Amino acid sequence: MATPRFAWGIDVGNRALKAVKLVRDGDSLRVDDFEVIEHETVLSNAGDNREGLIQSSLASFAQRHPTKGGVASIGVAGQSSFARFIKLPPVEPKKIPEIVRFEAIQQIPFPLDDVEWSYQLFQSPESPDVEVGIFAMRKELINQHIGHFTSVDLNVQVVQMNPLAVYNAMQYDQRIDGTTMIIDLGAENTDLIIADESTIWLRSIPIGGNNFTEALVKAFKLNFPKAEDLKRNASTSKYARQIFQAMRPVFADLVAEVQRSIGFYASVHRDSRIKKILALGGTFKLPGLQKYLQQNLQLEVQRLDSIGAGSPTDPKVAASLNDNILSVVGAYGLALQAMGEGKITSSLLPQHIRREKIWKEKQKWFAAAAALFLLGTGIGYGRIALDNMQLQRASSEKSANEAVLSQATAFDGEWTTISGAGGPERQRILNIHSLEEYRDLVPSLLGDIHASVPAIKATPQEVKQKFPDRGERQQIFVEHVLTQFTPDLAPVLAGDLRQFVKMPGSGGSNPVGANFGGAMPGNGSFVPNGVAPAAPAPVEGATAAAPGAGGRGFVVTIHGTTPNKNGLAFVEQSLVKGLTAISQAAIPGGKSYYIAKAQVVSGTQIRNHPEKLSQLKASYDAAVNAKNAGAFVGASGGAGGGVMSGEGVVGGAAPSDIGIAPGAAGAAGAPVDDSKGYQDRLTSEDLRDDWEFTVVAVVVLDPPPKTAAAAVTPTAAAN
């Protein structure tokens, strides 16, 4: 791209618009013009009027300064953009774009389609290591920002992060000597830049000149404009001591953040030592701030007093530039990059705008070729000699056009190669990102189960007093919730859910939801009690559905008990009915799943279940032994132990205060007459007339994931 005749670097800050115009002066650059336009109100306090203030300042700038024939380089705030610096593995240079794109997908916290991004390579001549800086900004923010400038007919050629523009300025002026820290203290934020000849590190901290002003607002009960004026004239005020005392906490906060940043940088770059600090930003006009930093950081702090480009020829402009030298470094660096003198050449200018500008530059060549062609065809057939002469004159333009076309074709081929590379890696990244879509599945599903059981807000003793007859209580105790992921639920939905009643682990001692934290076998299913879930057994007579026809999801087994005398009918009317109400209609409300089917698959009274009786007796004996040892610990896993009932928790193990007497130990699986072995430890009631049940629900995940990769299942997201 041809170097422009002149370039404006424009930095729209929180307090003012700063602009610097550079022109060529022989082999060097010279500041030809300069402008600072303060906003009517600080942008951070402007609210909905923010955009109007920016537009007003730019309109005022455009009226005062002709921009036709030149280009503009504009800055974006460091805190509204994104920067990461990564060391690349040793690879061939031609593979670097592919590796960088892979890193960008991993590092940028937004999909690449939603951001404008670019990168810059950093490499020392003495080292084979290559470091890449990846820079990005949300498209809607950058398009809105560019729109302000194009609305006043500015030819935006470069969009750059302000801290990188500052780096370009200091590097061009040869201010970076060894490892140097640059502190650019703005109105709202402070950019910290640590750089040497080949690397750069950035951090933006939320402390700026406005924080000093706000401290004066609170200390002296002033409005913001008056406090700002007091700060600017602090050195000549008779209340200087009180003013600086009020701002002292902000000084301390700034030093603490700088020290924290230096410490982090030193921990990552162990062989690097910061030699000096360059102080930029209008806030450094505060007397004492430079000295305060120097004393507390134990480093030399130099306040910038000039820039490397030649001074304006107009003495008034030169004087104004010197007065504002601390504030215009970012605008100066932006103009340097537009003039082709920036060490960092990356730009966040949107790709479609960049292509349009390239083609506009080529249009003059195409127009010249077309004019020559028309001129040649408009002459009579007798003018063959003249035609040949004209064709020869146009040969240079033709060669130039062919060269442009060849270069464009080559770039198009390279882009096709780059965009098509790394397919498996991009797929894997998409798969990993897709896990986030289901990270709330387990809490939401457990919440649905919790909401489907009767809600009783009372203590166990209050329930006992209100419902002396245990069989009249509308309670459900959920003891286990087990899951099995199934990539195709069609056979499950077509069959009888009773096939899952013997699922391994269903009679174990996992508490509610414990299986969700288990190991994950190769088939993507969670392992309850360390045993891999068996595949669903085929149901005789069931119609086989096409793979994927039923969608993917979970078979959820809910095991519990109820004291209600209606037993399974009560479970059907409460828990099952509540679950099946979560139909496909729930999806528009924000759920990523629905329950296609729920069924009571087994149930019996506890007195008819030898295994359950044995579990209760074993739990009772363990409690007795612990009590006799003087260290009773509530056992879990039996009916009423650690259970969930609607919005309240009823039952559960607790230190015994009701007197537990040793009971006779019976054979496993055989009923024992000692009724205390089968008591609810909180209410002392016999549990043997309670009903034990198993409910199976089919949870369908919908909508389906963005990709069809079978390697990713929402099972991992459930964890």
Side-chain angles (χ1 to χ4, degrees), residues 256-342:
E257 288 295 333
V258 174
Q259 287 176 330
R260 185 177 296 113
S261 299
I262 292 174
F264 176 81
Y265 179 84
S267 69
V268 177
H269 303 79
R270 297 185 181 275
D271 298 331
S272 183
R273 292 293 180 270
I274 297 173
K275 295 177 60 176
K276 66 178 180 180
I277 293 175
L278 292 176
L280 312 177
T283 306
F284 270 103
K285 290 183 178 181
L286 277 173
L289 178 56
Q290 178 183 353
K291 183 178 179 181
Y292 185 86
L293 287 176
Q294 190 162 290
Q295 290 176 342
N296 285 274
L297 299 176
Q298 295 298 302
L299 288 168
E300 179 187 3
V301 179
Q302 298 177 0
R303 197 173 77 172
L304 193 71
D305 55 3
S306 65
I307 57 177
S311 299
T313 55
D314 187 332
K316 291 183 179 180
V317 175
S320 179
L321 176 63
N322 289 334
D323 288 342
N324 293 276
I325 200 71
L326 291 171
S327 304
V328 301
V329 177
Y332 170 53
L334 291 168
L336 283 170
Q337 184 173 349
M339 294 296 287
E341 298 293 341

Side-chain angles (χ1 to χ4, degrees), residues 84-411:
R84 284 289 185 277
F85 297 89
I86 304 162
K87 284 189 176 180
L88 297 181
V91 294
E92 299 177 34
K94 65 180 182 180
K95 291 186 177 180
I96 286 179
E98 177 183 343
I99 297 296
V100 171
R101 183 175 178 82
F102 176 80
E103 291 290 350
I105 293 173
Q106 288 187 313
Q107 297 292 333
I108 298 174
F110 303 102
L112 288 193
D113 290 341
D114 294 344
V115 299
E116 295 293 345
W117 72 284
S118 62
Y119 69 92
Q120 180 80 31
L121 298 179
F122 300 90
Q123 185 174 20
S124 172
E126 298 81 20
S127 173
D129 294 336
V130 178
E131 188 173 18
V132 61
I134 299 174
F135 316 114
M137 188 172 179
R138 295 291 296 270
K139 282 184 176 179
E140 63 266 27
L141 295 178
I142 207 163
N143 288 331
Q144 181 184 37
H145 193 60
I146 292 174
H148 296 315
F149 294 85
T150 56
S151 66
V152 293
D153 295 327
L154 283 167
N155 181 13
V156 178
Q157 201 82 12
V158 175
V159 179
Q160 185 58 275
M161 295 171 56
N162 284 332
L164 297 181
V166 169
Y167 168 80
N168 271 343
M170 295 297 93
Q171 197 277 334
Y172 178 82
D173 286 2
Q174 299 181 355
R175 298 272 188 172
I176 298 175
D177 179 20
T179 303
T180 303
M181 184 178 202
I182 304 167
I183 302 179
D184 186 10
L185 187 54
E188 195 72 15
N189 295 273
T190 297
D191 291 326
L192 303 179
I193 307 154
I194 303 178
D196 54 29
E197 289 301 319
S198 58
T199 62
I200 182 174
W201 179 88
L202 307 177
R203 185 190 175 207
S204 182
I205 60 176
I207 298 176
N210 287 354
N211 294 89
F212 293 93
T213 307
E214 291 290 352
L216 298 181
V217 169
K218 294 179 181 178
F220 300 109
K221 310 301 180 185
L222 301 173
N223 59 32
F224 192 92
K226 288 185 178 180
E228 178 66 21
D229 185 65
L230 187 65
K231 181 186 74 174
R232 294 186 180 189
N233 298 286
S235 59
T236 59
S237 173
K238 63 180 180 180
Y239 302 108
R241 183 174 177 276
Q242 291 90 332
I243 293 172
F244 286 105
Q245 189 65 30
M247 294 188 294
R248 190 175 183 84
V250 185
F251 279 60
D253 290 344
L254 177 62
V255 167
E257 288 295 333
V258 174
Q259 287 176 330
R260 185 177 296 113
S261 299
I262 292 174
F264 176 81
Y265 179 84
S267 69
V268 177
H269 303 79
R270 297 185 181 275
D271 298 331
S272 183
R273 292 293 180 270
I274 297 173
K275 295 177 60 176
K276 66 178 180 180
I277 293 175
L278 292 176
L280 312 177
T283 306
F284 270 103
K285 290 183 178 181
L286 277 173
L289 178 56
Q290 178 183 353
K291 183 178 179 181
Y292 185 86
L293 287 176
Q294 190 162 290
Q295 290 176 342
N296 285 274
L297 299 176
Q298 295 298 302
L299 288 168
E300 179 187 3
V301 179
Q302 298 177 0
R303 197 173 77 172
L304 193 71
D305 55 3
S306 65
I307 57 177
S311 299
T313 55
D314 187 332
K316 291 183 179 180
V317 175
S320 179
L321 176 63
N322 289 334
D323 288 342
N324 293 276
I325 200 71
L326 291 171
S327 304
V328 301
V329 177
Y332 170 53
L334 291 168
L336 283 170
Q337 184 173 349
M339 294 296 287
E341 298 293 341
K343 183 172 183 179
I344 293 180
T345 58
S346 64
S347 173
L348 295 177
L349 185 71
Q351 288 289 340
H352 69 278
I353 298 179
R354 197 173 305 174
R355 293 192 194 101
E356 289 174 5
K357 292 183 180 296
I358 292 173
W359 282 109
K360 282 183 179 179
E361 286 195 358
K362 309 310 179 202
Q363 280 179 352
K364 59 185 178 182
W365 298 108
F366 293 128
L372 290 169
F373 175 75
L374 291 173
L375 178 62
T377 56
I379 301 174
Y381 289 104
R383 305 292 300 276
I384 295 176
L386 184 57
D387 288 344
N388 290 334
M389 183 177 66
Q390 296 288 358
L391 180 61
Q392 289 175 1
R393 288 179 179 177
S395 61
S396 60
E397 285 83 357
K398 178 183 176 183
S399 299
N401 291 338
E402 289 177 346
V404 172
L405 179 61
S406 176
Q407 186 181 29
T409 303
F411 284 159

